[in-house]
Amino acid sequence: MTTPLSQDTSISAPRGLCILGSTGSIGTQTLDIVRLFPERFRVRALTAGSNADMLIEQARTFAPDCVVLADTSQLHVVEDALRDTGIEVLGGEDGLCAAATWEGVETVVAAVVGFAGLSPVLAAVRTGATVALANKETLVVAGALVNAQARAHGSTLIPVDSEHSAIFQCLVGEHPDAVESLTLTASGGPFRTRPRETFDRITPAEALDHPNWSMGAKITIDSATMMNKGLEVIEAHWLFDLAADAIDVLVHPQSIVHSLVTFVDGSTKAQLGVPDMKVPIQYALTYPDRWPAPHERLDWSTLSQLDFELPDLEKFPCLRLAYEALEAGGTAPAVLNAANEEAVRLFLEEQIRFTDIPRLLEDALGRLSESEAHSYDALVHADAAARRGVLEQARAVLD
Ligand code: NDP
Ligand code: MG
């Protein structure tokens, strides 16, 4: 990691952006940052999954060169609406990769949710672009591959996830060998204090009601199971090159301390702020500089208490399973991720119980056959097999 310390305040040419997943929680907040600095960014490409209406609205506001709808069944709606604009309209996975490699794109904001985000991120990395990475599943599934490609093509990954942004900020000016351990903080989600015996009655509506953060549905369920923190441990491993036993998790219900780094001399640095994703998103877009912005400040006069406790791995087995998958290596994290994506979808569709999620993940990891994770095809295969396994298991539970 480079650590330049000068603040570039000169007005340079606007930075070309592609926002993968522009209609989501991270995507729309990224566009809020663009609105704050309209002279300094040029939106070249925007992509959505299936939300044609919002994509059309964003295209009319930001006038990109191209927009992509992954779900091609709705593509004609976008094409019809933007016919008079000269904006190129593309569809499917090929379209996502075209957007990620569009001419003039210098920074790709990776804010698609899930495994679907992997192939456009790999395409972006191969052009040497800077990738502002929110899509943690990309590194969970393919950390070795993405890092190898980034090294080969001179691409830089800058974390957007608040914990990883905090660590990234703490590491500015530090030598990698000076780091002893990382501590990821976790809010503990909505069920931190709820008795474990009642977990099988948790409804999707209860699990979607996060105490501190407003986010997309999948990550909100992951926060409720604490799988989100497990995915973040794996993400931290690939971003900061530390072994699993040097990455700790600490529950911090206020979500003010976003994470900590402990150094070999016993000193610890932390990054603090109100829970607002716009701050890490902006930092990922402006690094190594900080641009003045009106984001909410911490009010130290009313901040009376910061609490910390160890996570309860009995209550939240998904976190333990993520550590196990990281230790197992190979395609284990890809299997865990795929099983989790399917289990979360089934829970949101009210087909399985909250407590079935870790059961299905444990089963998927148990049936894992050892395999290397260095090729994209191997990862696609592991992902598909794990999804099939979860569906079979879930059907067996339902029958
Ligand atoms: P959302 O569900 O809000 O948004 C996801 C985006 O991806 C939408 O634009 C969606 O389009 C698009 N999308 C969904 N499925 C596909 C697909 N198959 N192909 C192409 N595009 C697709 O998610 P979030 O913004 O909450 O999260 C995005 C990523 O960032 C996740 O990996 C999450 O873990 C991570 N993250 C999010 C945080 C947050 O605060 N939200 C914090 C830290 C990390 P459409 O709207 O059309 O469905
Ligand atoms: Mg996070």
PDB file of all heavy atoms in Angstrom, residues 194 197-203 206 353-355:
ATOM      1  N   ARG A 194     -31.384 -10.798  22.473  1.00  0.00           N
ATOM      2  CA  ARG A 194     -32.566 -11.672  22.437  1.00  0.00           C
ATOM      3  C   ARG A 194     -32.176 -13.098  22.841  1.00  0.00           C
ATOM      4  O   ARG A 194     -31.154 -13.616  22.390  1.00  0.00           O
ATOM      5  CB  ARG A 194     -33.139 -11.661  21.007  1.00  0.00           C
ATOM      6  CG  ARG A 194     -34.319 -12.583  20.806  1.00  0.00           C
ATOM      7  CD  ARG A 194     -35.021 -12.284  19.492  1.00  0.00           C
ATOM      8  NE  ARG A 194     -35.989 -13.300  19.166  1.00  0.00           N
ATOM      9  CZ  ARG A 194     -37.060 -13.117  18.407  1.00  0.00           C
ATOM     10  NH1 ARG A 194     -37.288 -11.923  17.873  1.00  0.00           N
ATOM     11  NH2 ARG A 194     -37.902 -14.089  18.155  1.00  0.00           N
ATOM     12  N   GLU A 197     -33.127 -19.178  22.755  1.00  0.00           N
ATOM     13  CA  GLU A 197     -34.226 -20.164  22.629  1.00  0.00           C
ATOM     14  C   GLU A 197     -35.350 -19.647  21.729  1.00  0.00           C
ATOM     15  O   GLU A 197     -36.179 -20.424  21.278  1.00  0.00           O
ATOM     16  CB  GLU A 197     -34.852 -20.504  23.990  1.00  0.00           C
ATOM     17  CG  GLU A 197     -33.902 -20.830  25.115  1.00  0.00           C
ATOM     18  CD  GLU A 197     -33.226 -19.592  25.682  1.00  0.00           C
ATOM     19  OE1 GLU A 197     -33.891 -18.757  26.321  1.00  0.00           O
ATOM     20  OE2 GLU A 197     -32.000 -19.466  25.440  1.00  0.00           O
ATOM     21  N   THR A 198     -35.386 -18.329  21.502  1.00  0.00           N
ATOM     22  CA  THR A 198     -36.481 -17.777  20.685  1.00  0.00           C
ATOM     23  C   THR A 198     -36.056 -17.566  19.227  1.00  0.00           C
ATOM     24  O   THR A 198     -36.838 -17.070  18.420  1.00  0.00           O
ATOM     25  CB  THR A 198     -36.952 -16.413  21.241  1.00  0.00           C
ATOM     26  OG1 THR A 198     -35.893 -15.457  21.028  1.00  0.00           O
ATOM     27  CG2 THR A 198     -37.284 -16.477  22.712  1.00  0.00           C
ATOM     28  N   PHE A 199     -34.824 -17.913  18.899  1.00  0.00           N
ATOM     29  CA  PHE A 199     -34.297 -17.602  17.562  1.00  0.00           C
ATOM     30  C   PHE A 199     -35.064 -18.295  16.437  1.00  0.00           C
ATOM     31  O   PHE A 199     -35.117 -17.795  15.326  1.00  0.00           O
ATOM     32  CB  PHE A 199     -32.796 -17.959  17.464  1.00  0.00           C
ATOM     33  CG  PHE A 199     -31.872 -16.834  17.869  1.00  0.00           C
ATOM     34  CD1 PHE A 199     -32.276 -15.859  18.780  1.00  0.00           C
ATOM     35  CD2 PHE A 199     -30.595 -16.743  17.328  1.00  0.00           C
ATOM     36  CE1 PHE A 199     -31.417 -14.832  19.157  1.00  0.00           C
ATOM     37  CE2 PHE A 199     -29.728 -15.714  17.695  1.00  0.00           C
ATOM     38  CZ  PHE A 199     -30.139 -14.757  18.607  1.00  0.00           C
ATOM     39  N   ASP A 200     -35.652 -19.479  16.708  1.00  0.00           N
ATOM     40  CA  ASP A 200     -36.351 -20.144  15.598  1.00  0.00           C
ATOM     41  C   ASP A 200     -37.687 -19.473  15.268  1.00  0.00           C
ATOM     42  O   ASP A 200     -38.329 -19.814  14.284  1.00  0.00           O
ATOM     43  CB  ASP A 200     -36.528 -21.649  15.870  1.00  0.00           C
ATOM     44  CG  ASP A 200     -37.287 -21.916  17.150  1.00  0.00           C
ATOM     45  OD1 ASP A 200     -37.593 -20.936  17.874  1.00  0.00           O
ATOM     46  OD2 ASP A 200     -37.578 -23.092  17.435  1.00  0.00           O
ATOM     47  N   ARG A 201     -38.078 -18.472  16.075  1.00  0.00           N
ATOM     48  CA  ARG A 201     -39.320 -17.734  15.769  1.00  0.00           C
ATOM     49  C   ARG A 201     -39.036 -16.372  15.119  1.00  0.00           C
ATOM     50  O   ARG A 201     -39.963 -15.596  14.876  1.00  0.00           O
ATOM     51  CB  ARG A 201     -40.133 -17.527  17.055  1.00  0.00           C
ATOM     52  CG  ARG A 201     -40.586 -18.842  17.689  1.00  0.00           C
ATOM     53  CD  ARG A 201     -41.767 -18.623  18.626  1.00  0.00           C
ATOM     54  NE  ARG A 201     -41.400 -17.851  19.815  1.00  0.00           N
ATOM     55  CZ  ARG A 201     -40.852 -18.387  20.917  1.00  0.00           C
ATOM     56  NH1 ARG A 201     -40.609 -19.678  20.981  1.00  0.00           N
ATOM     57  NH2 ARG A 201     -40.547 -17.628  21.952  1.00  0.00           N
ATOM     58  N   ILE A 202     -37.771 -16.064  14.866  1.00  0.00           N
ATOM     59  CA  ILE A 202     -37.420 -14.759  14.280  1.00  0.00           C
ATOM     60  C   ILE A 202     -38.023 -14.633  12.882  1.00  0.00           C
ATOM     61  O   ILE A 202     -37.879 -15.546  12.057  1.00  0.00           O
ATOM     62  CB  ILE A 202     -35.877 -14.602  14.220  1.00  0.00           C
ATOM     63  CG1 ILE A 202     -35.325 -14.379  15.631  1.00  0.00           C
ATOM     64  CG2 ILE A 202     -35.476 -13.455  13.283  1.00  0.00           C
ATOM     65  CD1 ILE A 202     -33.804 -14.396  15.712  1.00  0.00           C
ATOM     66  N   THR A 203     -38.677 -13.519  12.621  1.00  0.00           N
ATOM     67  CA  THR A 203     -39.289 -13.301  11.301  1.00  0.00           C
ATOM     68  C   THR A 203     -38.356 -12.456  10.430  1.00  0.00           C
ATOM     69  O   THR A 203     -37.506 -11.714  10.956  1.00  0.00           O
ATOM     70  CB  THR A 203     -40.620 -12.540  11.429  1.00  0.00           C
ATOM     71  OG1 THR A 203     -40.322 -11.232  11.954  1.00  0.00           O
ATOM     72  CG2 THR A 203     -41.597 -13.253  12.342  1.00  0.00           C
ATOM     73  N   GLU A 206     -38.372  -8.824  11.536  1.00  0.00           N
ATOM     74  CA  GLU A 206     -37.538  -8.547  12.728  1.00  0.00           C
ATOM     75  C   GLU A 206     -36.059  -8.508  12.346  1.00  0.00           C
ATOM     76  O   GLU A 206     -35.299  -7.659  12.807  1.00  0.00           O
ATOM     77  CB  GLU A 206     -37.754  -9.632  13.789  1.00  0.00           C
ATOM     78  CG  GLU A 206     -39.100  -9.548  14.474  1.00  0.00           C
ATOM     79  CD  GLU A 206     -39.356 -10.751  15.393  1.00  0.00           C
ATOM     80  OE1 GLU A 206     -38.920 -11.872  15.070  1.00  0.00           O
ATOM     81  OE2 GLU A 206     -40.006 -10.551  16.426  1.00  0.00           O
ATOM     82  N   ARG A 353     -36.442 -21.354   8.523  1.00  0.00           N
ATOM     83  CA  ARG A 353     -36.360 -20.542   9.742  1.00  0.00           C
ATOM     84  C   ARG A 353     -34.984 -19.884   9.848  1.00  0.00           C
ATOM     85  O   ARG A 353     -34.020 -20.339   9.226  1.00  0.00           O
ATOM     86  CB  ARG A 353     -36.590 -21.420  10.971  1.00  0.00           C
ATOM     87  CG  ARG A 353     -38.031 -21.877  11.137  1.00  0.00           C
ATOM     88  CD  ARG A 353     -38.116 -22.949  12.194  1.00  0.00           C
ATOM     89  NE  ARG A 353     -37.258 -24.082  11.831  1.00  0.00           N
ATOM     90  CZ  ARG A 353     -37.132 -25.193  12.531  1.00  0.00           C
ATOM     91  NH1 ARG A 353     -37.779 -25.328  13.665  1.00  0.00           N
ATOM     92  NH2 ARG A 353     -36.349 -26.172  12.134  1.00  0.00           N
ATOM     93  N   PHE A 354     -34.919 -18.871  10.680  1.00  0.00           N
ATOM     94  CA  PHE A 354     -33.652 -18.157  10.937  1.00  0.00           C
ATOM     95  C   PHE A 354     -32.567 -19.140  11.374  1.00  0.00           C
ATOM     96  O   PHE A 354     -31.419 -19.072  10.929  1.00  0.00           O
ATOM     97  CB  PHE A 354     -33.913 -17.103  12.030  1.00  0.00           C
ATOM     98  CG  PHE A 354     -32.766 -16.168  12.268  1.00  0.00           C
ATOM     99  CD1 PHE A 354     -32.512 -15.114  11.400  1.00  0.00           C
ATOM    100  CD2 PHE A 354     -31.944 -16.320  13.382  1.00  0.00           C
ATOM    101  CE1 PHE A 354     -31.459 -14.230  11.632  1.00  0.00           C
ATOM    102  CE2 PHE A 354     -30.890 -15.447  13.621  1.00  0.00           C
ATOM    103  CZ  PHE A 354     -30.648 -14.395  12.737  1.00  0.00           C
ATOM    104  N   THR A 355     -32.957 -20.092  12.221  1.00  0.00           N
ATOM    105  CA  THR A 355     -31.975 -21.051  12.759  1.00  0.00           C
ATOM    106  C   THR A 355     -31.562 -22.105  11.727  1.00  0.00           C
ATOM    107  O   THR A 355     -30.602 -22.845  11.958  1.00  0.00           O
ATOM    108  CB  THR A 355     -32.549 -21.748  14.006  1.00  0.00           C
ATOM    109  OG1 THR A 355     -33.922 -22.083  13.735  1.00  0.00           O
ATOM    110  CG2 THR A 355     -32.478 -20.851  15.219  1.00  0.00           C
TER     111      THR A 355
END
